[in-house]
Amino acid sequence: MEARVYKNFIGGEFVESSTGKTFERRNPADTREVVGVFQDSGADDVHAAVAAAKAAYPAWSQVPAPRRGEILLKAAEIIQSRKDRYSQDLTREMGKPLFEAGGDIVEAIGMAQYAGSEGRRMHGVTTPSELPNKFQMSIRQPIGVVGLITPWNFPMAIASWKMLPAIVCGNTVVIKPGEDASISTYNLVECLVEAGLPPGVVNIVTGYGPGAGQPLVEHPDVPVISFTGSTDTGRLVYELGARQIKRVSLEMGGKNPLIVMPDADLDLVMEGVVWAAFGTTGQRCTATSRLIVHKDVAGPLVERIVARAQSLRVGDGLQAETEMGPLVNEKQMKRVLGYIELGQQEGATMRCGGGRLTEGALANGHFIQPTVFTGVRPSMRIAREEIFGPVLSVIEVGSLDEAIAVANDVAYGLSASIYTRDINAAMRAMLALQAGIVYINAPTIGAEIHLPFGGVKATGNGHREAGPTMMDVFSEWKSVYIDYSGSLQRAQIDL
Ligand code: NAD
């Protein structure tokens, strides 16, 4: 079957890139299959998309917020009705197994419901005044054209986290999806358009980071940038945005620790670790990549994890029995294999995995074995750098204090977890772990959209997606003072 050619979506029309260039995306489980052909866009395409979004902004920002929300609520139903098809598209484009792809779609449905209902809230604050006959309140207002740059690992969920709150707040949007998984963004936008979103409110420009992402960050008519991706790219986006005093929201890398105390239920830990370290082939920003385990239980726990890791069914995510899919592309596969090599050079013990899988049906995909290293010291690079693959580093410690110190001793701070039945230990860890998200007796993955999502240190810059905080990224506060005393009342003076 001939692969579909996806054109840029600008002002409600599908248009070819002005560069005249396209690029193919191939199925990472079988690279003989082209899943889509996309525009390799440049600055002119971004400028056209921003112009369309700017033109749509005055009318859209005037649509009452509850009406804007209704479109999202309707879109939620449309996405739900196409969940199976969209899951297949998502698995084909980035590799995660179908059951996980379904979770990605469900997250977008949840966000459409959550952001849609926000159209009827959008709460501000009212406070009493220090002065008589004076009323005061703060209200949210839309900002303008919002630029969104997304990665490939949660192609529908992350696009929805950014796009849906942005438009319910009354902004218009230009999105540059991750080049390895753009189809899911088209699927999401297709539902919004069918639900009644006017032309120009959402525009899609595909392409690579420097060619299509950077002109969006640099465009003077785009006052807000929301970016999710690696810390290196995020740092550049932040620098470029700062030159124009833009609001830049960054969600970046992680090196997420899971602490295990001696009183933990080891079978429960094993299940959690295997899911969080090897789910999505380790390509989650919240993946468990460091297992920080008390030495008293390290032996039996590692045995359980290794046994389960070795039995994981690795394969094409479209096959029902598959538990772990391929890595997203060849570059990522080489990078992960490079880290596995490095771990051995650094003196860690490779307890399982370590290699590429090429037998039979796996021959044309980017498959590698789930890999576990023991004897890892906190100073090793495999314990400090984001690998973004199915590689788990096991670090042994002797106390809760040491576990927390090791957990915090990295550049990142997205998600962290502790398994213990001791409420005191759990509470201490909850407060002391340097992370935006903490789990108790659950692994480092599994965020829900109703709570703020994001991280500290090199993971984020203080903004939070999802939860009520999502509205702060995409709206501007305005404080309003109404003096009905008929006389000049000087604040702080005429008390
Ligand atoms: P990436 O940084 O390579 O790319 C992210 C996006 O930025 C892509 O759309 C890319 O085209 C674009 N980009 C690249 N160079 C750019 C430039 N110069 N200007 C503007 N845009 C540019 O990241 P990736 O490989 O797509 O995703 C993996 C990374 O994302 C990992 O580090 C992971 O931890 C992180 N991530 C973080 C979260 C989170 O919420 N914290 C969620 C998912 C992924």
Side-chain angles (χ1 to χ4, degrees):
M1 198 173 69
E2 191 87 340
R4 175 173 162 191
V5 178
Y6 289 82
K7 296 180 183 174
N8 287 332
F9 185 64
I10 298 179
E13 307 283 336
F14 287 98
V15 290
E16 282 177 6
S17 162
S18 57
T19 63
K21 290 190 283 184
T22 57
F23 65 95
E24 286 176 349
R25 171 62 187 157
R26 288 170 182 268
N27 180 344
D30 185 345
T31 55
R32 293 169 301 180
E33 184 195 357
V34 177
V35 295
V37 177
F38 301 91
Q39 307 302 306
D40 185 357
S41 308
D44 287 345
D45 304 305
V46 172
H47 294 171
V50 173
K54 194 176 172 185
Y57 176 71
W60 180 245
S61 59
Q62 292 302 314
V63 173
R67 298 281 92 75
R68 296 195 294 252
E70 277 167 20
I71 294 176
L72 304 197
L73 293 170
K74 196 163 171 202
E77 288 173 17
I78 302 173
I79 305 169
Q80 176 72 56
S81 71
R82 298 181 188 160
K83 184 182 160 205
D84 289 348
R85 173 151 64 84
Y86 288 169
S87 301
Q88 300 239 350
D89 285 347
L90 201 150
T91 293
R92 272 207 178 82
E93 69 174 342
M94 64 71 64
K96 67 174 76 164
L98 270 180
F99 70 93
E100 286 192 41
D104 211 305
I105 311 290
V106 166
E107 220 168 292
I109 296 167
M111 183 49 92
Q113 292 167 339
Y114 185 67
S117 56
E118 197 58 47
R120 289 196 177 269
R121 287 189 293 269
M122 242 176 248
H123 297 305
V125 180
T126 60
T127 65
S129 169
E130 293 174 357
L131 294 161
N133 299 318
K134 192 177 170 195
F135 179 82
Q136 51 201 35
M137 62 185 167
S138 58
I139 55 171
R140 287 184 188 279
Q141 293 200 300
I143 307 175
V145 179
V146 167
L148 309 178
I149 297 177
T150 53
W152 44 265
N153 66 338
F154 277 82
M156 191 179 279
I158 294 180
S160 78
W161 287 9
K162 296 183 186 301
M163 190 185 295
L164 303 179
I167 60 182
V168 85
C169 284
N171 305 286
T172 55
V173 166
V174 176
I175 182 165
K176 205 300 279 170
E179 53 270 28
D180 284 319
S182 302
I183 294 175
S184 295
T185 295
Y186 280 91
N187 288 342
L188 176 64
V189 171
E190 169 180 83
C191 297
L192 290 166
V193 170
E194 282 181 40
L197 197 74
V201 176
V202 170
N203 304 274
I204 309 173
V205 178
T206 57
Y208 295 96
Q214 201 159 321
L216 185 57
V217 178
E218 292 178 317
H219 199 299
D221 290 338
V222 181
V224 181
I225 296 290
S226 176
F227 167 88
T228 298
S230 62
T231 297
D232 283 346
T233 310
R235 186 178 289 113
L236 174 68
V237 167
Y238 207 15
E239 283 169 8
L240 293 172
R243 289 185 198 158
Q244 295 181 44
I245 328 236
K246 294 190 180 205
R247 181 180 305 191
V248 180
S249 158
L250 303 171
E251 294 294 343
M252 301 173 286
K255 189 70 189 171
N256 310 295
L258 187 153
I259 296 174
V260 183
M261 298 309 291
D263 62 345
D265 173 342
L266 296 188
D267 289 322
L268 183 69
V269 178
M270 180 277 287
E271 280 183 61
V273 169
V274 169
W275 169 228
F278 305 128
T280 325
T281 322
Q283 303 169 115
R284 287 188 184 222
C285 50
T286 50
T288 296
S289 58
R290 294 180 294 152
L291 177 65
I292 302 174
V293 55
H294 195 283
K295 57 181 173 11
D296 290 355
V297 289
L301 177 60
V302 168
E303 250 171 59
R304 285 170 168 83
I305 291 171
V306 167
R308 181 69 186 99
Q310 284 173 325
S311 74
L312 276 176
R313 290 185 296 271
V314 181
D316 183 343
L318 292 173
Q319 307 295 328
E321 68 277 9
T322 295
E323 293 176 295
M324 189 179 104
L327 287 162
V328 71
N329 58 33
E330 192 179 353
K331 189 169 157 222
Q332 188 62 17
M333 182 177 68
K334 286 187 172 153
R335 191 181 128 89
V336 175
L337 290 171
Y339 270 107
I340 292 172
E341 179 76 39
L342 176 71
Q344 292 165 285
Q345 283 165 14
E346 287 184 306
T349 306
M350 196 167 71
R351 291 290 299 271
C352 66
R356 198 179 161 183
L357 290 164
T358 52
E359 274 166 36
L362 306 186
N364 296 300
H366 307 305
F367 296 98
I368 73 167
Q369 296 166 312
T371 301
V372 176
F373 279 109
T374 54
V376 177
R377 289 188 308 278
S379 58
M380 290 180 181
R381 282 180 58 198
I382 57 164
R384 309 188 74 77
E385 297 177 15
E386 185 180 49
I387 298 174
F388 226 52
V391 181
L392 180 70
S393 296
V394 182
I395 303 170
E396 290 188 29
V397 290
S399 68
L400 177 62
D401 285 341
E402 191 189 350
I404 292 171
V406 169
N408 288 343
D409 183 27
V410 291
Y412 300 104
L414 182 53
S415 183
S417 146
I418 180 165
Y419 279 78
T420 178
R421 287 185 262 213
D422 174 350
I423 184 72
N424 298 353
M427 292 299 290
R428 278 176 56 204
M430 179 188 87
L431 294 177
L433 286 166
Q434 295 169 356
I437 306 165
V438 171
Y439 293 88
I440 314 282
N441 291 328
T444 57
I445 64 177
E448 297 186 28
I449 55 154
H450 317 78
L451 287 184
F453 182 95
V456 301
K457 303 200 286 189
T459 297
N461 64 340
H463 296 276
R464 289 290 184 274
E465 301 200 299
T469 44
M470 71 187 186
M471 306 299 283
D472 291 331
V473 177
F474 299 111
S475 63
E476 197 70 82
W477 281 112
K478 181 178 279 176
S479 295
V480 182
Y481 299 92
I482 305 163
D483 190 324
Y484 54 96
S485 67
S487 56
L488 173 65
Q489 300 196 85
R490 295 174 301 175
Q492 292 88 39
I493 297 170
D494 296 329
L495 298 174

